[in-house]
Amino acid sequence: MMRSRSFMDRWGVTLQLFIINSVISIPALASASIGNLFTSLFAVYRPWFLISSNPLVPNVLGIFMSMFYDPTFLDYFFNMLTLWFIGPFFESRFGARLFWEVYAVSGVVAALSVYIYPPLTAIAGASGALFGIVGFMIASPYRWAILSNPINIISIIFLLSPLAAGYGIAYLGHLLGFAVGLALGFYWSRKLVYRRTYRVRWGPY
């Protein structure tokens, strides 16, 4: 028998990430146009999430936390929109645990791209982690959910290319997150084939 997917089986992690990103990003974004007290608070906690490639200011915490902070309203809007579209599909097919694992590992590796850029460059955002999710799906049997739409293909090619740098987009972070997602997706797919071939019970799928 097959059990039906509950709301939280599809939306649990998506909602968690949406809430975390919103709680961290919105106050920081709003502080740009609100009074001095709010701006001061913003200045205190923003360095925890905005990573600089300045070797004199190491930011180990930022490497882990930057995937939950979008530095501009456009970043926040498009990243949360992407999360809303692909998150429930990913979670319903692969489960909450794998969602968190792929998101976190891709996000950390994407954050390390700051050390590839020139000194004093600063980056942050959820897009590197989300590109990991996209890469995982493309490497899996469910790649049609991404590649069946030409707009998705064009957007991915643009955001992974140096052309995006002209718009202030950290495309190297996207590229690293995407590569990690692809690698994890290929590994998962090989495990899936092995499990189906030898009828091994592995995981909740």
Side-chain angles (χ1 to χ4, degrees), residues 137-198:
M137 290 177 61
I138 289 176
S140 79
Y142 299 101
R143 61 183 61 89
W144 56 266
I146 300 290
L147 301 180
S148 60
N149 189 334
I151 296 178
N152 290 342
I153 299 174
I154 294 171
S155 299
I156 290 170
I157 293 173
F158 170 74
L159 292 171
L160 294 179
S161 72
L163 293 174
Y167 297 87
I169 297 172
Y171 74 95
L172 289 175
H174 295 170
L175 197 57
L176 286 179
F178 183 74
V180 169
L182 279 177
L184 293 174
F186 279 122
Y187 175 76
W188 180 89
S189 296
R190 287 178 65 87
K191 296 270 286 190
L192 179 66
V193 170
Y194 175 86
R195 187 175 83 243
R196 287 179 173 174
T197 301
Y198 297 100

Side-chain angles (χ1 to χ4, degrees), residues 5 7-8 25 33 36 42 61 64-65 72 77 91-92 101 109 124 148 156 162 195 197 199 202 204:
R5 296 281 185 178
F7 176 82
M8 291 308 294
S25 299
S33 58
N36 293 333
F42 164 70
L61 180 62
F64 294 94
M65 300 302 293
T72 71
F77 175 78
E91 188 170 359
S92 67
E101 289 174 353
V109 174
S148 60
I156 290 170
R195 187 175 83 243
T197 301
R199 300 187 180 279
W202 180 69

Side-chain angles (χ1 to χ4, degrees), residues 21-105:
N21 278 273
S22 297
V23 168
I24 292 173
S25 299
I26 291 177
L29 295 172
S31 68
S33 58
I34 299 181
N36 293 333
L37 175 61
F38 212 16
T39 303
S40 299
L41 292 174
F42 164 70
V44 169
Y45 87 80
R46 187 171 185 256
W48 296 359
F49 307 99
L50 189 65
I51 317 164
S52 171
S53 63
N54 184 351
L56 300 178
V57 187
N59 190 350
V60 177
L61 180 62
I63 295 295
F64 294 94
M65 300 302 293
S66 63
M67 70 187 82
F68 303 112
Y69 168 60
D70 293 302
T72 71
F73 278 111
L74 280 179
D75 288 331
Y76 173 78
F77 175 78
F78 284 113
N79 284 338
M80 293 304 97
L81 187 65
T82 301
L83 173 65
W84 214 250
F85 278 124
I86 68 175
F89 182 89
F90 188 99
E91 188 170 359
S92 67
R93 298 304 189 277
F94 305 109
R97 178 179 174 180
L98 192 56
F99 194 160
W100 270 112
E101 289 174 353
V102 175
Y103 185 93
V105 174

